[in-house]
Amino acid sequence: MSISLKFLRPLFIAAIATVAVAAVAVLGTLLLRAEPSGRVSLSEISHIHGIAVDRRDPSRLFVATHSGLFLASPDGYAVPVSERRDDYMGFSSHPTDGDVLFASGHPAAGGNMGVIASRDGGVTWEAISAGAEGPVDFHAMDVSRADPNVIYGLYGAVQVSRDSGKTWTVAGAPNADVFDLAASALDRDLVYAATRAGLMVSRDGAVNWESTGPENQPATMVQVGDDGSVYAFVFGSGLLKAPASALSWRLVNASFGERVILHLAIDQTEPGRLFAVTDDGRIIASTDGGETWKNYAN
């Protein structure tokens, strides 16, 4: 199918905005509206690049943005995790250690940061690699739940590290623009991609790719649960889910209208509890596996 302007508007408006304008807008909002405690209303946070459930407190969310990393709470506020105001284009949490985070993107001073890691929940960060042909600025990344030493990152092609991010190789790339990556929870060489041409899967560590799910329908997001089940958002269909045993896709929710989901996080302590970021910047939550949604903030 052809991609309509309605699809291009929500999916790419943030991507084509200039970095300078976005940085000024976001930082200006935070400086003007932050409370004395440092808390910021979630409604003032924009340009979200990724979210993850805080394993130390599953009611909270890590929110990676153009202007730093925040911890969001259901009371409708977020606090900066550290003083760094870097642009975390790629962001992924460790599947078992709640203190370990990985990120990539752009330092506040400009340029590419390569791959960085935090071992204290995002308070401090260290550079661990420039990536292959770097320094990279991964626009999507995911740590394998099947083997946390394996990390996938998107920098034009898909890169893979098998030593917790220290060294990287270029694996391959789907034959379409890639928007998101998700590593399987069952097989370290199994990885999914949300692309302009639809959902794709690789079974050999991102070297070769094949289509899965609705054909020729752009996919904006893909995420994997600890049990290996896969969630994806497909434009023109809605939120889909497939079991780990076979990629037999089931429609979970088709009521998003013109909105799309860009990022999804699963509470692994309660797998039916999902959190999502939509293209209009809202953070929403579900307690029934995505069948119904409400605002994350109470």
Side-chain angles (χ1 to χ4, degrees):
M1 87 177 208
S2 61
I3 300 175
S4 69
L5 291 176
K6 289 183 178 179
F7 171 68
L8 292 175
R9 175 197 59 79
L11 185 57
F12 298 115
I13 190 169
I16 64 175
T18 63
V19 172
V21 172
V24 170
V26 174
L27 285 173
T29 298
L30 297 181
L31 290 172
L32 287 173
R33 305 202 180 190
E35 295 188 349
S37 64
R39 297 196 314 164
V40 177
S41 171
L42 285 179
S43 63
E44 307 299 337
I45 294 180
S46 62
H47 222 217
I48 297 173
H49 296 313
I51 58 173
V53 175
D54 183 358
R55 288 181 175 268
R56 304 163 302 180
D57 179 357
S59 70
R60 303 189 303 181
L61 294 175
F62 285 109
V63 181
T65 79
H66 185 81
S67 302
L69 181 65
F70 294 81
L71 263 179
S73 299
D75 64 0
Y77 288 90
V79 294
V81 177
S82 74
E83 295 181 356
R84 294 182 64 146
R85 291 295 177 264
D86 299 327
D87 180 5
Y88 297 112
M89 294 293 300
F91 175 76
S92 184
S93 61
H94 192 281
T96 58
D97 190 334
D99 289 324
V100 177
L101 307 170
F102 296 91
S104 183
H106 309 285
N112 295 346
M113 67 172 56
V115 183
I116 61 175
S118 174
R119 307 189 187 284
D120 55 10
V123 178
T124 61
W125 295 82
E126 61 176 329
I128 58 174
S129 178
E133 304 175 2
V136 300
D137 66 321
F138 289 146
H139 281 210
M141 59 191 308
D142 200 29
V143 183
S144 169
R145 292 162 177 78
D147 180 355
N149 290 315
V150 175
I151 309 173
Y152 292 94
L154 176 66
Y155 182 61
V158 179
Q159 299 189 13
V160 60
S161 171
R162 299 187 181 278
D163 55 8
S164 299
K166 298 180 182 66
T167 62
W168 294 80
T169 58
V170 177
N175 189 26
D177 294 335
V178 179
F179 307 132
D180 199 13
L181 295 173
S184 168
L186 305 179
D187 183 342
R188 67 180 186 175
D189 290 326
L190 185 62
V191 59
Y192 306 93
T195 83
R196 187 190 296 272
L199 287 166
M200 295 191 179
V201 59
S202 172
R203 305 178 192 279
D204 56 6
V207 177
N208 296 291
W209 295 84
E210 61 186 78
S211 296
T212 179
E215 294 185 2
N216 300 317
Q217 291 182 244
T220 62
M221 174 280 299
V222 62
Q223 185 59 270
V224 175
D226 276 358
D227 63 353
S229 58
V230 187
Y231 284 93
F233 194 93
V234 175
F235 182 75
S237 294
L239 182 65
L240 308 179
K241 183 180 181 181
S245 56
L247 289 180
S248 177
W249 296 95
R250 173 180 67 87
L251 180 62
V252 176
N253 189 309
S255 63
F256 283 87
E258 293 188 358
R259 292 188 301 158
V260 300
I261 291 178
L262 299 181
H263 309 289
L264 186 80
I266 303 170
D267 181 357
Q268 305 300 354
T269 67
E270 190 177 337
R273 193 163 175 249
L274 311 178
F275 305 92
V277 178
T278 58
D279 61 297
D280 57 0
R282 293 175 58 197
I283 301 178
I284 56 178
S286 172
T287 58
D288 54 12
E291 294 186 11
T292 60
W293 295 84
K294 63 180 182 179
N295 287 334
Y296 167 62
N298 293 330

